[in-house]
Amino acid sequence: TIASPANDPTVITVGAVNYKGSNGRSDDVVTNFSSRGPTRAFLDMGTWKWYDNLVKPDLVAPGNKVTGANATRANALVPTRNKLATDYPQLVSAAAGPTTYAQGLIQLNGTSVAAPVVAGAAAVLLQVNPGLTPPLVKAILQYTAQPLQGASLVEQGAGQLNLEGAIRL
């Protein structure tokens, strides 16, 4: 179920983990909505097709019930919510403390929420070592990922993002 552009071997494909609101990783599971590999891109040779069958996703990261800042239009007199928050107000909660533009928090699910977690980890790695190339960043993130108990290679790739391990490496 992993399609373009995620089936490109040079990109980091990210699956989603439900961390179940706990601090430990022992109960973390790959979400049911997270795509699984292998990839099925193919090269059509006329009489036959050559399938790539790459192991994807490359790794998994938190992507279930992730809470973040909810964007609002920066107008103190008429603060307006973004479309997602307007259409699904049940996802929004108030931010702690005083706010200027009626800022709030929003809770989302998806691999599209897990992918920025890995992008941020890549940015931290590059901050620690600016000489890393994109293939090295991907390799380090995969090498240091922690496999989830009970999840297969095609569900979790190398395992769950482990930023501390990646920085130490």
Side-chain angles (χ1 to χ4, degrees):
T1 60
I2 295 177
S4 183
N7 63 359
D8 185 319
T10 62
V11 302
I12 301 174
T13 306
V14 181
V17 167
N18 181 347
Y19 62 94
K20 298 189 176 183
S22 67
N23 290 330
R25 292 184 171 213
S26 62
D27 61 345
D28 295 358
V29 295
V30 178
T31 62
N32 61 351
F33 56 78
S34 188
S35 292
R36 283 130 168 93
T39 62
R40 295 297 289 163
F42 62 88
L43 180 61
D44 192 344
M45 304 300 288
T47 57
W48 57 277
K49 294 179 182 176
W50 178 78
Y51 290 90
D52 58 6
N53 291 318
L54 297 173
V55 174
K56 291 283 188 162
D58 295 304
L59 67 157
V60 292
N64 187 257
K65 297 184 179 178
V66 175
T67 302
N70 180 40
T72 57
R73 183 174 294 153
N75 182 335
L77 300 175
V78 187
T80 56
R81 290 181 166 177
N82 63 56
K83 180 162 176 47
L84 189 60
T86 301
D87 291 350
Y88 301 96
Q90 68 274 20
L91 299 176
V92 179
S93 61
T99 63
T100 305
Y101 304 113
Q103 293 101 331
L105 301 174
I106 191 163
Q107 190 175 79
L108 299 171
N109 304 313
T111 55
S112 58
V113 179
V117 174
V118 175
V124 169
L125 279 181
L126 289 168
Q127 185 176 22
V128 171
N129 186 346
L132 293 174
T133 63
L136 276 174
V137 169
K138 180 177 177 177
I140 290 168
L141 291 175
Q142 287 184 287
Y143 182 75
T144 57
Q146 296 175 320
L148 292 173
Q149 192 172 17
S152 72
L153 186 65
V154 296
E155 291 174 305
Q156 68 175 327
Q160 188 170 7
L161 176 69
N162 175 11
L163 182 57
E164 181 182 356
I167 291 170
R168 287 179 188 265
L169 182 65

